Amino acid sequence: MPPTESVALVGRKRHLDHLLTDAHRALEGGSRAVLLCGDAGIGKSRLLAEYLDRTPMARKALGACLELGTEGVALAPFTALLRQLLRTDDGPLEEAAEIVRLLPGLGETAPIPPVHDEHGRARLFEAVLTFLEERSRPDGLALAVEDLHWSDASTRDLLVFLLRNFHAVPLHLVISVRTDDLHRTHPLRSLLPELERLPRVTRLDLEPLSRQEVAEQAAALGGSLSSGDLDLLHERSGGNPLFVESFLGTGGAEGGVPEGPRELLMRHVEPLPATARKVLGLAALAGDRVGHTLLADVAERSGIDEDDLDEALRQAVDARLITATDTGYVFRHALLAEAVKNDLLPGQRVRAHRRYTEALATGVAGLSRSETVARLAHHAYAAHDHARALVASWEAAERALASAAHPEYLELLERVLELWESVPDAAERLGLDRGALLLRVCLAAQVAGELRRAAEHATDGLADLDSADDPQTAARLLVARARAYKDLGRSAALDDLRAATGMLPEDHPEQALIGAAMASALMLQGFDEEAEEVSRTAIETARGVGDRASEADALVTLGSLLGVTGSDESVEMLREGIRIARDSGEVQVELRGLNNLAHNLHLRLEPEGALELAREVLDRCADLGILRSQGGFHANGVAIYLIALGRVSEAQRVLETHPEVGDLAAARRQVIIAQIHAIRGDWDACEKALGEFTRLLPRDRSSALEYVSHYYGWLGLLLDGPGERWAEAARLAFEAEADIGLISEGRAGFQGTPAWAELVARLRRRDLPQDAELAEELAVLLWRRVERADWPSAPSARLGRHMARGWLETDPARALVHWEHALALAVEAGPGKLFEASRGAFWALLALGDLDRARTMVERARELNGEAEFGGRDHVDGMSSALAGTRPAPTTLPAGLTPREAEVLIQVAKGLSNRQVGEALFISAKTVSVHVTNLMAKLEVDNRTAAVARARELGFGLG
């Protein structure tokens, strides 16, 4: 960071105080971060330098993002930060050894991991996090990252990860951002608001200097201005400190007004001799800083000898355009470097890039290989030297992969793909054909989370490929596209996988991999029978060819499919798949198996076992070094099982301990958070969390599977929240059915059906005419669901089926039979399900007039609610009120009258009109009329008086 010319820090005392105060808070109470935002030239670098000089932290380090475009060195600012800390480190170096292995340029080059290594990035991020936390103790660590607007995607991802995971450590991070550079599609436009929402992050904006502050800066620079000159200087500089210095350096603000910053800054360059201007132009092509060795080589190739170079550099330094460092030169400001570069004619630029290409191709002393190939790829591409750009981009891509910089790896491979047609012998130079390259691009896109790009590249490759000539490559591209389609929730994945398996001989070793992938896709699409058949075949094929990874994958899928049966076989298959995956290093399959096994135990009504296994997943993440990068996703499962056991406060602590990473995990967490708020009765917070879900996962860009939990979250809010919004809940059911087949297609699983069925029961109990149609329409959908022959047989599924039928039955006697079955199963399921079953049984008993047993259910529900956190107080109070307001009635009513019809008849016997009966029973007059008509039909009479008389004849006491 070059020093500015003004010694005094003008107009920035308040901002400096803010940074220093924030640093003291971090030193005393845990990490904090500041986003230092402002226009170019506003003084961010000057303020950062002052802060680092005065910071209360014992250690400090600075890293800057470099403007090199696609070919830039990934994670450059963090590489610089870590290198500085390692250089002064006097502590144990265990973590440093991991950093050296993962980050290029800090030591021995790490072996390049497999393209599909999805956890290398997580391990890298955790290693950096642990290293920085350790170096912050006990006396504090100040980190500065400059020019985030130039950052690569991996730098941004790592920064977000660190900000979400730094907690109780004395660490202060200051990040500078040039906000006037953030065009509409710039990635920071959406990222900055996300960062500002984090609890320990603040934003500090640098405003233009006031008129008085401009006067102070002018005085500090040795200028003495009249009032009129000061007004003119303030107006034309816009209060920008860099422009104030530039105006004063060119004789003041009077005279012609430059068209913009470039023209203003170039006023300092134009008076220089031709050779000095040429050297500055060469230097600017390297960015805002360049090493002396590289610049000298480029200058020599451009016809400038050593003496002339030294003289030119001295003139540029004296003109205060660049500053000399220990190893090279830095422009006074990035804007100046940009102005000089933009002033070059097209031919001058191409020639200069060519000279850089030639110099870098032969190697530059003091420049790491990673930085050399990154710069070579950049300059060769700009010089239209396609052959060198191709090879350099390929090597730069491999080095990005070694650093787990997956977004940059993908972009560099796409650059190689772009250059392929321009280099006739590209295949010989790289040692692979275009089909193999496209496969790498597809895999890179998948690992980087760019699923649509993965599918597009695979489609491009298939369009250019004759599958008859090269069926293996065609099949591999189809599988790559199918994996992308599967993760996007698109059924076209199955078409691709079926096509791929048909292209290869039955005994081809890759048939096992295709079969395992197809089984998983079939399961996700709900084709369980075919998924089971395909997975069994894939297991046999994998064992025949020794493909342990595919065997594990297929075993986990088959065990998950059979989990709905509650069989021991499914448990054994999952455990075997997990063991094989662990032995063969298939981490993703192993974790999937552990999660599915936990769900399997949940289906078997073993909630404590499911919770224990979910915790084991977190322990395994810790063993793998990916706990803080992926633990948030798996912590969601732990929280779900804890909530089911009524341990809500513990679930909340788990979520707070393991921050989520990624929109999908964060969105799913919002549903869990909404559930916690609902249990505690904070309905506003509940609704806010569900709204956050849709912000993170917009419906038009998310799969049906991802939206299941969102619909159930809203159902919970509408069922138990304020206002008895049950009609709205019914309409939500129809919307969810139309959107994703939530009920009829069973994507939500059998465990969600009872919630919709309870909605039907509530609508019926409310007995409003406008609810009747909604209730019956929804009931039809749900009866079709619960009566399906393929309803699972696992204990949890049987429990859910009995509960759903209990709510749906209109005959309370038949409903009670189902509730008695449910109560017996719920004892094993845990207090939550037992509470729900007790509630359902209560309403059936109440309808039957069995008040003593109904009272027992109220007491059981009250006891369960006192033992655990279910948010069931309103339910218990409602049951108590209903019990207290019930009029005693005969156990068996005459003529098949229902309890509600009996209540209406009692009021009719008093001589009340339909309107008065409705007011007494809190139902509409129209509903009373329906009940009167029904009861007269059952009593075989044609008027109200006769109905009362007939009831008395049958022994029905009417008072």
Side-chain angles (χ1 to χ4, degrees):
M1 181 169 54
T4 55
E5 296 305 307
S6 177
V7 176
L9 185 68
V10 176
R12 301 298 180 225
K13 183 179 185 306
R14 174 177 64 85
H15 306 88
L16 179 60
D17 288 345
H18 177 102
L19 293 178
L20 294 174
T21 300
D22 208 54
H24 280 289
R25 288 176 182 167
L27 196 55
E28 297 168 1
S31 67
R32 299 183 68 84
V34 178
L35 298 170
L36 188 60
C37 301
D39 293 349
I42 205 69
K44 299 182 296 297
S45 295
R46 177 72 176 86
L47 179 59
L48 263 182
E50 194 74 22
Y51 163 71
L52 289 176
D53 282 345
R54 302 191 189 187
T55 181
M57 303 300 190
R59 294 185 180 185
K60 58 189 176 184
L62 168 71
C65 303
L66 306 176
E67 187 185 21
L68 269 185
T70 297
E71 310 87 353
V73 180
L75 301 165
F78 289 103
T79 300
L81 291 171
L82 295 167
R83 184 182 291 116
Q84 292 171 48
L85 292 173
L86 280 170
R87 193 177 296 141
T88 59
D89 203 337
D90 55 0
L93 295 178
E94 288 82 359
E95 305 92 343
E98 182 71 5
I99 295 293
V100 168
R101 187 182 70 82
L102 291 172
L103 276 176
L106 294 180
E108 293 295 326
T109 301
I112 296 175
V115 177
H116 62 275
D117 180 11
E118 300 177 9
H119 297 283
R121 186 175 179 82
R123 289 191 295 270
L124 168 63
F125 283 16
E126 297 228 6
V128 173
L129 174 63
T130 301
F131 179 87
L132 293 177
E133 286 183 333
E134 289 298 320
R135 271 60 193 172
S136 71
R137 299 185 182 100
D139 300 322
L141 172 63
L143 300 175
V145 174
E146 274 203 284
D147 300 323
L148 190 66
H149 47 279
W150 286 337
S151 60
D152 55 278
S154 290
T155 290
R156 295 191 294 273
D157 292 344
L158 177 53
L159 179 64
V160 171
F161 173 75
L162 294 175
L163 290 175
R164 284 178 172 166
N165 285 278
F166 282 143
H167 289 298
V169 292
L171 188 147
H172 195 224
L173 178 58
V174 184
I175 307 127
S176 74
V177 185
R178 189 199 293 183
T179 48
D180 59 332
D181 248 12
L182 305 186
H183 51 76
R184 184 176 60 83
T185 60
H186 196 290
L188 286 188
R189 283 290 290 271
S190 58
L191 179 61
L192 283 180
E194 294 291 329
L195 298 180
E196 291 172 42
R197 274 195 278 266
L198 296 175
R200 291 175 176 265
V201 177
T202 58
R203 173 169 173 159
L204 183 61
D205 286 282
L206 299 189
E207 306 87 3
L209 300 180
S210 66
R211 180 181 183 280
Q212 180 57 38
E213 289 166 344
V214 168
E216 293 174 18
Q217 184 184 6
L221 291 167
S224 178
L225 302 176
S226 67
S227 177
D229 288 342
L230 178 58
D231 288 339
L232 190 59
L233 178 60
H234 181 241
E235 176 187 349
R236 293 188 175 177
S237 67
N240 184 298
L242 176 65
F243 299 163
V244 170
E245 292 184 14
S246 297
F247 271 123
L248 291 172
T250 56
E254 67 279 353
V257 179
E259 295 178 7
R262 187 191 71 83
E263 291 77 8
L264 173 63
L265 294 169
M266 287 303 294
R267 283 187 174 185
H268 298 269
V269 177
E270 289 162 359
L272 292 177
T275 301
R277 293 200 305 272
K278 185 175 182 179
V279 168
L280 279 177
L282 293 173
L285 263 294
D288 65 345
R289 61 201 68 202
V290 63
H292 178 80
T293 304
L294 176 58
L295 181 59
D297 195 338
V298 171
E300 184 179 356
R301 294 172 187 274
S302 302
I304 303 172
D305 62 30
E306 188 176 348
D307 291 338
D308 289 342
L309 174 64
D310 289 342
E311 178 61 23
L313 289 169
R314 171 55 60 195
Q315 291 167 344
V317 170
D318 290 343
R320 300 190 295 275
L321 297 172
I322 61 174
T323 301
T325 68
D326 291 340
T327 58
Y329 309 94
V330 181
F331 279 86
R332 261 195 62 219
H333 197 280
L335 276 180
L336 178 58
E338 292 172 16
V340 172
K341 179 173 64 177
N342 292 336
D343 195 56
L344 296 174
L345 295 172
Q348 291 175 309
R349 285 187 210 165
V350 170
R351 285 193 297 274
H353 281 302
R354 188 178 301 126
R355 301 296 178 253
Y356 271 103
T357 301
E358 294 165 353
L360 290 162
T362 60
V364 178
L367 204 62
S368 71
R369 184 60 188 169
S370 295
E371 190 172 354
T372 297
V373 295
R375 290 182 178 275
L376 178 56
H378 169 73
H379 290 293
Y381 184 79
H384 311 305
D385 187 342
H386 295 149
R388 276 184 172 145
L390 175 94
V391 175
S393 297
W394 176 257
E395 184 178 348
E398 296 291 282
R399 291 181 177 276
L401 178 60
S403 298
H406 297 305
E408 291 68 40
Y409 177 58
L410 171 60
E411 289 186 10
L412 285 160
L413 286 183
E414 288 178 331
R415 173 61 58 80
V416 172
L417 197 58
E418 174 193 341
L419 292 166
W420 187 273
E421 298 299 332
S422 302
V423 184
D425 60 344
E428 290 74 16
R429 287 176 179 272
L430 301 185
L432 79 170
D433 59 27
R434 188 171 184 274
L437 173 61
L438 277 165
L439 277 172
R440 279 182 174 257
V441 175
C442 290
L443 288 172
Q446 288 174 37
V447 175
E450 297 287 349
L451 300 177
R452 288 176 177 82
R453 281 163 72 180
E456 288 167 2
H457 283 302
T459 301
D460 180 38
L462 288 165
D464 292 342
L465 187 69
D466 187 340
S467 59
D469 291 341
D470 191 354
Q472 180 166 283
T473 298
R476 288 172 176 173
L477 286 169
L478 283 167
V479 171
R481 187 169 68 179
R483 290 187 185 278
Y485 281 161
K486 185 186 80 167
D487 291 342
L488 287 167
R490 293 171 59 176
S491 59
L494 291 175
D495 297 333
D496 280 351
L497 289 168
R498 289 191 174 104
T501 195
M503 287 181 178
L504 301 178
E506 289 187 6
D507 59 349
H508 193 283
E510 292 185 27
Q511 287 283 16
L513 180 148
I514 297 173
M518 187 184 297
S520 177
L522 286 164
M523 179 176 67
L524 287 176
Q525 294 293 331
F527 301 110
D528 291 356
E529 290 185 9
E530 186 180 357
E532 180 178 346
E533 179 183 348
V534 171
S535 58
R536 290 187 186 277
T537 301
I539 292 168
E540 293 178 9
T541 304
R543 287 172 177 168
V545 299
D547 184 352
R548 300 290 277 170
S550 296
E551 180 186 359
D553 194 12
L555 279 167
V556 167
T557 297
L558 182 57
S560 303
L561 282 165
L562 298 179
V564 296
T565 66
S567 67
D568 291 338
E569 181 189 16
S570 67
V571 175
E572 292 168 3
M573 284 184 169
L574 281 165
R575 292 196 183 281
E576 184 182 4
I578 292 165
R579 178 185 58 77
I580 294 172
R582 183 172 297 188
D583 291 344
S584 56
E586 293 294 323
V587 173
Q588 201 63 33
V589 175
E590 178 191 348
L591 295 179
R592 180 167 75 95
L594 287 169
N595 280 315
N596 290 1
L597 180 56
H599 181 64
N600 186 297
L601 296 180
H602 177 68
L603 297 181
R604 291 161 61 95
L605 300 182
E606 300 176 26
E608 293 289 353
L611 174 60
E612 181 181 352
L613 205 56
R615 291 190 185 279
E616 184 181 330
V617 177
L618 288 180
D619 292 339
R620 183 62 177 146
C621 287
D623 292 341
L624 294 166
I626 58 174
L627 179 63
R628 287 190 282 191
S629 54
Q630 297 198 14
F633 179 86
H634 298 293
N636 289 350
V638 175
I640 288 171
Y641 295 128
L642 284 168
I643 291 171
L645 291 167
R647 294 153 64 178
V648 175
S649 296
E650 190 176 346
Q652 185 175 11
R653 287 194 296 273
V654 168
L655 295 180
E656 290 170 349
T657 304
H658 301 283
E660 74 284 346
V661 175
D663 286 349
L664 179 58
R668 289 176 177 173
R669 174 160 299 186
Q670 290 304 314
V671 177
I672 303 171
I673 291 171
Q675 187 178 0
I676 291 173
H677 288 314
I679 289 170
R680 292 173 174 170
D682 189 345
W683 301 109
D684 288 341
C686 176
E687 188 164 354
K688 182 179 178 182
L690 292 170
E692 180 68 4
F693 178 101
T694 57
R695 188 189 67 79
L696 291 166
L697 289 183
R699 182 65 193 96
D700 60 345
R701 299 203 301 271
S702 306
S703 71
L705 197 61
E706 290 167 350
Y707 252 67
V708 168
S709 60
H710 181 257
Y711 280 124
Y712 276 103
W714 270 103
L715 173 62
L717 173 63
L718 298 173
L719 267 180
D720 295 330
E724 291 191 355
R725 297 157 66 184
W726 300 342
E728 187 179 344
R731 286 188 286 271
L732 175 72
F734 302 136
E735 175 190 325
E737 172 64 15
D739 181 22
I740 61 175
L742 185 65
I743 297 170
S744 64
E745 295 185 28
R747 286 195 183 115
F750 47 84
Q751 297 180 84
T753 306
W756 296 114
E758 183 178 2
L759 171 60
V760 170
R762 291 198 194 184
L763 288 168
R764 286 170 173 168
R765 276 205 308 273
R766 191 160 62 177
D767 207 15
L768 297 174
Q770 59 266 37
D771 288 345
E773 185 177 348
L774 286 173
E776 295 317 309
E777 186 179 352
L778 183 55
V780 169
L781 277 174
L782 291 167
W783 273 119
R784 289 174 184 165
R785 173 74 176 123
V786 299
E787 291 179 342
R788 276 170 52 166
D790 62 348
W791 188 275
S793 56
S796 179
R798 296 202 307 273
L799 170 60
R801 193 175 202 176
H802 282 303
M803 291 175 68
R805 285 179 163 176
W807 290 121
L808 291 173
E809 285 285 3
T810 55
D811 183 337
R814 288 199 298 268
L816 183 60
V817 171
H818 288 296
W819 286 118
E820 286 172 341
H821 285 298
L823 285 166
L825 287 166
V827 170
E828 300 297 327
K833 292 299 182 184
L834 191 56
F835 180 81
E836 292 179 38
S838 299
R839 287 195 294 108
F842 164 81
W843 290 107
L845 290 165
L846 188 68
L848 289 169
D850 192 341
L851 304 186
D852 289 338
R853 289 181 67 192
R855 190 172 293 107
T856 300
M857 292 300 157
V858 174
E859 293 307 314
R860 174 183 284 180
R862 180 177 286 112
E863 182 180 341
L864 288 167
N865 190 59
E867 292 174 354
E869 296 177 84
F870 296 123
R873 179 178 175 180
D874 289 344
H875 286 294
V876 175
D877 291 346
M879 292 158 64
S880 299
S881 297
L883 188 63
T886 301
R887 294 177 180 272
T891 302
T892 303
L893 299 176
L897 295 180
T898 67
R900 178 59 95 183
E901 291 166 350
E903 289 179 336
V904 170
L905 186 55
I906 290 171
Q907 302 302 321
V908 170
K910 296 177 182 179
L912 302 181
S913 66
N914 284 356
R915 181 181 61 79
Q916 291 170 322
V917 172
E919 291 174 352
L921 299 179
F922 302 100
I923 58 179
S924 70
K926 184 176 179 181
T927 300
V928 172
S929 177
V930 172
H931 285 310
V932 170
T933 300
N934 290 339
L935 68 87
M936 287 193 299
K938 291 179 179 179
L939 294 172
E940 299 178 344
V941 297
D942 56 8
N943 60 65
R944 297 158 72 93
T945 303
V948 173
R950 178 62 180 152
R952 286 190 175 120
E953 290 175 7
L954 294 173
F956 186 61
L958 298 176

